[in-house]
Amino acid sequence: SADPHALLREIERVLVPEGHALFFGFNPWYPWRLLVRRERWPHLPGSMTVPRLKDRLLVLGFEPRGGRFGLYAPPPGEGAPSRARRAFEAAGDRWWPLLGGVYVLDAVKRVPGMRIIQPDWQKRKKQRAERLAAIAERARLERGS
């Protein structure tokens, strides 16, 4: 999106409470993008880093639940043999978890709950009946004396 903040606000507006949203993105911190020919790696002016996305989601009332990075190795055809790419992918989560090329993040929209307090009609009927019985008893005693 050209305006990612407006997009996040719109997602927050239309998503139901406790609804899940999945965010997919290209990581601007991906180190191999500097070696990739420009036409093969998308240049996204509105791309966000994961910490910044999490911060924006917290401000909007979302709770980030989890996510994953992927594509740690250089893209195919950039001079790295396939064995080296597999080794990069295998070690990526462990050694440089924030430097994957793409990410997915799951977030839940949290809305402060409210409890609707309704009048207890049965209790009110009982109290009213007791009051009317007491008035009737007093009137009967006054007539009898």
Side-chain angles (χ1 to χ4, degrees):
S1 171
D3 188 1
H5 303 296
L7 178 64
L8 291 175
R9 286 191 301 272
E10 182 65 14
I11 291 170
E12 188 272 334
R13 186 185 72 80
V14 300
L15 193 64
V16 297
E18 302 302 317
H20 286 258
L22 288 174
F23 299 92
F24 299 89
F26 291 99
N27 188 4
W29 292 347
Y30 181 54
W32 300 109
R33 73 181 169 87
L34 301 174
L35 301 176
V36 176
R37 283 176 283 160
R38 206 163 181 74
E39 65 272 5
R40 292 198 51 210
W41 188 259
H43 172 69
L44 302 172
S47 61
M48 279 194 220
T49 61
V50 172
R52 186 172 180 190
L53 177 61
K54 284 182 178 180
D55 185 47
R56 290 292 302 172
L57 290 173
L58 287 172
V59 167
L60 291 172
F62 283 88
E63 177 188 335
R65 304 263 313 196
R68 298 236 1 157
F69 279 89
L71 190 67
Y72 295 101
E78 295 300 321
S82 62
R83 189 178 341 157
R85 283 200 317 275
R86 282 194 301 270
F88 267 99
E89 288 297 331
D93 275 335
R94 191 169 12 134
W95 296 105
W96 46 86
L98 293 178
L99 299 179
V102 293
Y103 63 83
V104 61
L105 180 69
D106 177 28
V108 178
K109 181 180 176 181
R110 298 291 187 198
V111 176
M114 66 176 178
R115 183 170 177 220
I116 299 174
I117 300 173
Q118 296 179 345
D120 189 359
W121 297 110
Q122 298 300 323
K123 186 177 177 182
R124 284 188 178 185
K125 282 183 183 179
K126 185 178 176 184
Q127 288 175 346
R128 185 171 182 224
E130 289 172 356
R131 280 195 308 262
L132 288 175
I135 292 170
E137 181 65 26
R138 187 179 336 147
R140 188 181 63 77
L141 289 176
E142 286 177 1
R143 275 189 254 134
S145 11

